[in-house]
Short mmCIF file of all heavy atoms in Angstrom, two decimals:
data_model
loop_
_atom_site.label_atom_id
_atom_site.label_comp_id
_atom_site.label_asym_id
_atom_site.label_seq_id
_atom_site.Cartn_x
_atom_site.Cartn_y
_atom_site.Cartn_z
N PRO A 3 0.82 -1.22 0.00
CA PRO A 3 0.00 0.00 0.00
C PRO A 3 0.85 1.26 0.00
O PRO A 3 1.74 1.44 0.84
CB PRO A 3 -0.81 -0.14 1.29
CG PRO A 3 -0.89 -1.61 1.54
CD PRO A 3 0.41 -2.17 1.06
N GLY A 4 0.62 2.10 -1.00
CA GLY A 4 1.31 3.38 -1.08
C GLY A 4 2.70 3.32 -1.65
O GLY A 4 3.40 4.34 -1.68
N ALA A 5 3.14 2.14 -2.13
CA ALA A 5 4.50 2.01 -2.66
C ALA A 5 4.49 1.15 -3.91
O ALA A 5 3.73 0.19 -4.02
CB ALA A 5 5.43 1.39 -1.62
N SER A 6 5.34 1.51 -4.88
CA SER A 6 5.46 0.73 -6.11
C SER A 6 6.94 0.52 -6.42
O SER A 6 7.82 1.19 -5.87
CB SER A 6 4.77 1.45 -7.28
OG SER A 6 5.40 2.69 -7.53
N ALA A 7 7.21 -0.44 -7.30
CA ALA A 7 8.57 -0.74 -7.74
C ALA A 7 8.52 -1.13 -9.20
O ALA A 7 7.47 -1.54 -9.71
CB ALA A 7 9.19 -1.84 -6.89
N GLU A 8 9.66 -1.03 -9.86
CA GLU A 8 9.72 -1.36 -11.28
C GLU A 8 10.15 -2.80 -11.49
O GLU A 8 10.99 -3.34 -10.76
CB GLU A 8 10.68 -0.43 -12.02
CG GLU A 8 10.10 0.92 -12.36
CD GLU A 8 10.93 1.65 -13.40
OE1 GLU A 8 12.13 1.34 -13.54
OE2 GLU A 8 10.39 2.54 -14.09
N ALA A 9 9.56 -3.43 -12.52
CA ALA A 9 10.00 -4.74 -13.01
C ALA A 9 9.90 -4.71 -14.52
O ALA A 9 9.26 -3.81 -15.11
CB ALA A 9 9.13 -5.85 -12.43
N TRP A 10 10.52 -5.67 -15.18
CA TRP A 10 10.44 -5.76 -16.63
C TRP A 10 9.22 -6.58 -17.00
O TRP A 10 8.98 -7.67 -16.45
CB TRP A 10 11.71 -6.39 -17.19
CG TRP A 10 12.89 -5.46 -17.05
CD1 TRP A 10 12.84 -4.12 -16.83
CD2 TRP A 10 14.27 -5.80 -17.13
NE1 TRP A 10 14.09 -3.59 -16.77
CE2 TRP A 10 15.00 -4.59 -16.96
CE3 TRP A 10 14.96 -6.99 -17.34
CZ2 TRP A 10 16.40 -4.56 -16.97
CZ3 TRP A 10 16.35 -6.96 -17.36
CH2 TRP A 10 17.06 -5.75 -17.19
N THR A 11 8.44 -6.06 -17.93
CA THR A 11 7.11 -6.59 -18.21
C THR A 11 6.88 -6.70 -19.72
O THR A 11 7.42 -5.92 -20.49
CB THR A 11 6.03 -5.65 -17.61
OG1 THR A 11 6.29 -5.47 -16.23
CG2 THR A 11 4.65 -6.24 -17.77
N LEU A 12 6.07 -7.68 -20.12
CA LEU A 12 5.62 -7.82 -21.50
C LEU A 12 4.27 -7.14 -21.65
O LEU A 12 3.26 -7.61 -21.12
CB LEU A 12 5.51 -9.31 -21.87
CG LEU A 12 6.83 -10.06 -22.05
CD1 LEU A 12 6.58 -11.57 -22.09
CD2 LEU A 12 7.56 -9.61 -23.30
N HIS A 13 4.25 -6.02 -22.35
CA HIS A 13 3.02 -5.26 -22.56
C HIS A 13 2.35 -5.68 -23.87
O HIS A 13 3.02 -6.06 -24.83
CB HIS A 13 3.32 -3.76 -22.61
CG HIS A 13 3.44 -3.12 -21.27
ND1 HIS A 13 2.43 -2.40 -20.69
CD2 HIS A 13 4.47 -3.11 -20.39
CE1 HIS A 13 2.83 -1.96 -19.50
NE2 HIS A 13 4.06 -2.37 -19.30
N SER A 14 1.03 -5.56 -23.91
CA SER A 14 0.26 -5.77 -25.14
C SER A 14 -1.03 -4.97 -25.05
O SER A 14 -1.42 -4.52 -23.96
CB SER A 14 -0.05 -7.25 -25.35
OG SER A 14 -1.01 -7.69 -24.40
N ALA A 15 -1.70 -4.82 -26.19
CA ALA A 15 -2.99 -4.12 -26.19
C ALA A 15 -4.04 -4.90 -25.41
O ALA A 15 -4.94 -4.33 -24.81
CB ALA A 15 -3.45 -3.88 -27.63
N GLN A 16 -3.94 -6.23 -25.43
CA GLN A 16 -4.86 -7.08 -24.68
C GLN A 16 -4.41 -7.13 -23.24
O GLN A 16 -3.31 -7.59 -22.92
CB GLN A 16 -4.88 -8.49 -25.29
CG GLN A 16 -5.88 -9.43 -24.62
CD GLN A 16 -5.92 -10.79 -25.28
OE1 GLN A 16 -5.35 -10.99 -26.35
NE2 GLN A 16 -6.57 -11.75 -24.65
N LYS A 17 -5.23 -6.66 -22.33
CA LYS A 17 -4.89 -6.64 -20.92
C LYS A 17 -5.22 -7.99 -20.27
O LYS A 17 -6.06 -8.75 -20.74
CB LYS A 17 -5.64 -5.51 -20.21
CG LYS A 17 -5.42 -4.13 -20.83
CD LYS A 17 -3.95 -3.76 -20.88
CE LYS A 17 -3.74 -2.39 -21.50
NZ LYS A 17 -2.31 -2.04 -21.64
N GLY A 18 -4.55 -8.24 -19.16
CA GLY A 18 -4.82 -9.48 -18.45
C GLY A 18 -4.32 -10.68 -19.21
O GLY A 18 -3.40 -10.59 -20.04
N PRO A 19 -4.89 -11.86 -18.97
CA PRO A 19 -4.45 -13.07 -19.68
C PRO A 19 -4.63 -12.94 -21.18
O PRO A 19 -5.64 -12.42 -21.66
CB PRO A 19 -5.37 -14.16 -19.10
CG PRO A 19 -5.86 -13.62 -17.80
CD PRO A 19 -5.95 -12.14 -17.99
N LEU A 20 -3.66 -13.40 -21.93
CA LEU A 20 -3.77 -13.45 -23.40
C LEU A 20 -4.61 -14.66 -23.74
O LEU A 20 -4.29 -15.78 -23.32
CB LEU A 20 -2.38 -13.54 -24.02
CG LEU A 20 -1.42 -12.40 -23.66
CD1 LEU A 20 0.00 -12.73 -24.12
CD2 LEU A 20 -1.90 -11.09 -24.25
N ARG A 21 -5.68 -14.48 -24.51
CA ARG A 21 -6.59 -15.58 -24.80
C ARG A 21 -6.71 -15.80 -26.30
O ARG A 21 -6.95 -14.85 -27.06
CB ARG A 21 -7.98 -15.33 -24.20
CG ARG A 21 -7.99 -15.40 -22.67
CD ARG A 21 -9.40 -15.24 -22.10
NE ARG A 21 -9.40 -15.30 -20.66
CZ ARG A 21 -9.59 -16.41 -19.94
NH1 ARG A 21 -9.81 -17.56 -20.58
NH2 ARG A 21 -9.57 -16.39 -18.63
N PHE A 22 -6.56 -17.07 -26.70
CA PHE A 22 -6.71 -17.47 -28.09
C PHE A 22 -7.49 -18.78 -28.14
O PHE A 22 -7.86 -19.34 -27.09
CB PHE A 22 -5.33 -17.64 -28.75
CG PHE A 22 -4.51 -16.38 -28.75
CD1 PHE A 22 -3.52 -16.17 -27.80
CD2 PHE A 22 -4.74 -15.38 -29.69
CE1 PHE A 22 -2.77 -15.00 -27.78
CE2 PHE A 22 -4.00 -14.21 -29.68
CZ PHE A 22 -3.02 -14.02 -28.73
N ASN A 23 -7.77 -19.25 -29.36
CA ASN A 23 -8.51 -20.49 -29.55
C ASN A 23 -7.59 -21.56 -30.12
O ASN A 23 -6.64 -21.27 -30.86
CB ASN A 23 -9.68 -20.27 -30.49
CG ASN A 23 -10.69 -19.28 -29.95
OD1 ASN A 23 -10.92 -19.22 -28.74
ND2 ASN A 23 -11.27 -18.48 -30.83
N ARG A 24 -7.91 -22.78 -29.78
CA ARG A 24 -7.17 -23.90 -30.37
C ARG A 24 -7.31 -23.85 -31.89
O ARG A 24 -8.40 -23.69 -32.43
CB ARG A 24 -7.70 -25.23 -29.83
CG ARG A 24 -6.87 -26.42 -30.27
CD ARG A 24 -7.44 -27.72 -29.76
NE ARG A 24 -6.60 -28.84 -30.18
CZ ARG A 24 -6.95 -30.11 -30.10
NH1 ARG A 24 -8.14 -30.43 -29.60
NH2 ARG A 24 -6.13 -31.06 -30.51
N GLY A 25 -6.18 -23.98 -32.57
CA GLY A 25 -6.17 -23.91 -34.03
C GLY A 25 -5.73 -22.56 -34.56
O GLY A 25 -5.42 -22.43 -35.75
N ASP A 26 -5.67 -21.54 -33.69
CA ASP A 26 -5.24 -20.23 -34.15
C ASP A 26 -3.77 -20.23 -34.57
O ASP A 26 -2.94 -20.95 -33.98
CB ASP A 26 -5.42 -19.19 -33.04
CG ASP A 26 -6.87 -18.76 -32.85
OD1 ASP A 26 -7.72 -19.20 -33.65
OD2 ASP A 26 -7.15 -17.99 -31.91
N GLU A 27 -3.46 -19.41 -35.54
CA GLU A 27 -2.07 -19.12 -35.89
C GLU A 27 -1.80 -17.68 -35.49
O GLU A 27 -2.47 -16.76 -35.95
CB GLU A 27 -1.83 -19.31 -37.39
CG GLU A 27 -0.40 -18.99 -37.81
CD GLU A 27 -0.20 -19.14 -39.30
OE1 GLU A 27 0.08 -20.26 -39.76
OE2 GLU A 27 -0.34 -18.11 -40.01
N ILE A 28 -0.82 -17.49 -34.63
CA ILE A 28 -0.55 -16.17 -34.07
C ILE A 28 0.76 -15.63 -34.64
O ILE A 28 1.80 -16.30 -34.58
CB ILE A 28 -0.44 -16.23 -32.53
CG1 ILE A 28 -1.63 -17.01 -31.93
CG2 ILE A 28 -0.36 -14.82 -31.95
CD1 ILE A 28 -2.97 -16.44 -32.26
N THR A 29 0.70 -14.45 -35.20
CA THR A 29 1.91 -13.74 -35.61
C THR A 29 2.36 -12.87 -34.43
O THR A 29 1.67 -11.93 -34.05
CB THR A 29 1.66 -12.86 -36.84
OG1 THR A 29 1.25 -13.70 -37.93
CG2 THR A 29 2.93 -12.12 -37.23
N VAL A 30 3.50 -13.25 -33.85
CA VAL A 30 4.02 -12.54 -32.67
C VAL A 30 5.06 -11.53 -33.12
O VAL A 30 5.99 -11.86 -33.88
CB VAL A 30 4.64 -13.53 -31.67
CG1 VAL A 30 5.18 -12.78 -30.45
CG2 VAL A 30 3.62 -14.57 -31.24
N GLN A 31 4.89 -10.30 -32.68
CA GLN A 31 5.87 -9.25 -32.93
C GLN A 31 6.35 -8.73 -31.58
O GLN A 31 5.55 -8.27 -30.77
CB GLN A 31 5.26 -8.13 -33.77
CG GLN A 31 4.80 -8.59 -35.15
CD GLN A 31 4.25 -7.45 -35.99
OE1 GLN A 31 4.46 -6.29 -35.68
NE2 GLN A 31 3.54 -7.79 -37.05
N LEU A 32 7.65 -8.83 -31.38
CA LEU A 32 8.25 -8.47 -30.09
C LEU A 32 9.19 -7.29 -30.28
O LEU A 32 10.12 -7.35 -31.09
CB LEU A 32 9.00 -9.66 -29.51
CG LEU A 32 9.82 -9.42 -28.24
CD1 LEU A 32 8.91 -9.04 -27.08
CD2 LEU A 32 10.64 -10.66 -27.88
N ALA A 33 8.96 -6.21 -29.54
CA ALA A 33 9.84 -5.04 -29.54
C ALA A 33 10.53 -4.96 -28.19
O ALA A 33 9.87 -4.90 -27.14
CB ALA A 33 9.04 -3.77 -29.81
N ASN A 34 11.85 -4.98 -28.20
CA ASN A 34 12.62 -4.94 -26.96
C ASN A 34 12.98 -3.50 -26.62
O ASN A 34 13.87 -2.90 -27.23
CB ASN A 34 13.89 -5.78 -27.09
CG ASN A 34 14.69 -5.80 -25.79
OD1 ASN A 34 14.22 -5.36 -24.74
ND2 ASN A 34 15.90 -6.32 -25.86
N GLN A 35 12.30 -2.94 -25.65
CA GLN A 35 12.55 -1.57 -25.20
C GLN A 35 13.36 -1.55 -23.90
O GLN A 35 13.41 -0.53 -23.21
CB GLN A 35 11.23 -0.82 -25.03
CG GLN A 35 10.41 -0.73 -26.32
CD GLN A 35 9.05 -0.10 -26.12
OE1 GLN A 35 8.78 0.54 -25.11
NE2 GLN A 35 8.17 -0.28 -27.09
N LEU A 36 14.00 -2.67 -23.60
CA LEU A 36 14.84 -2.77 -22.40
C LEU A 36 16.31 -2.50 -22.76
O LEU A 36 16.69 -2.61 -23.94
CB LEU A 36 14.69 -4.15 -21.77
CG LEU A 36 13.29 -4.50 -21.25
CD1 LEU A 36 13.24 -5.95 -20.78
CD2 LEU A 36 12.89 -3.57 -20.12
N PRO A 37 17.15 -2.23 -21.78
CA PRO A 37 18.56 -1.94 -22.07
C PRO A 37 19.42 -3.19 -22.25
O PRO A 37 20.64 -3.06 -22.41
CB PRO A 37 19.00 -1.15 -20.83
CG PRO A 37 18.12 -1.66 -19.73
CD PRO A 37 16.79 -1.95 -20.37
N VAL A 38 18.81 -4.39 -22.23
CA VAL A 38 19.57 -5.64 -22.33
C VAL A 38 18.89 -6.56 -23.34
O VAL A 38 17.70 -6.41 -23.62
CB VAL A 38 19.66 -6.35 -20.96
CG1 VAL A 38 20.42 -5.49 -19.95
CG2 VAL A 38 18.27 -6.69 -20.43
#
């Protein structure tokens, strides 16, 4: 409560759990905005 800290995170437009259907083909695009 009242305090936060930073961690490295995978962001996406879809919030929460990423949900897809069996049989889907997903094109993943990953942009690395970290210093490593």
Side-chain angles (χ1 to χ4, degrees):
S6 63
E8 280 196 338
W10 290 343
T11 306
L12 288 167
H13 277 260
S14 71
Q16 183 178 349
K17 305 303 180 184
L20 302 170
R21 291 184 181 267
F22 300 99
N23 298 325
R24 187 181 181 193
D26 284 355
E27 179 182 274
I28 311 301
T29 299
V30 180
Q31 298 182 16
L32 173 64
N34 182 11
Q35 300 175 16
L36 297 174
V38 297

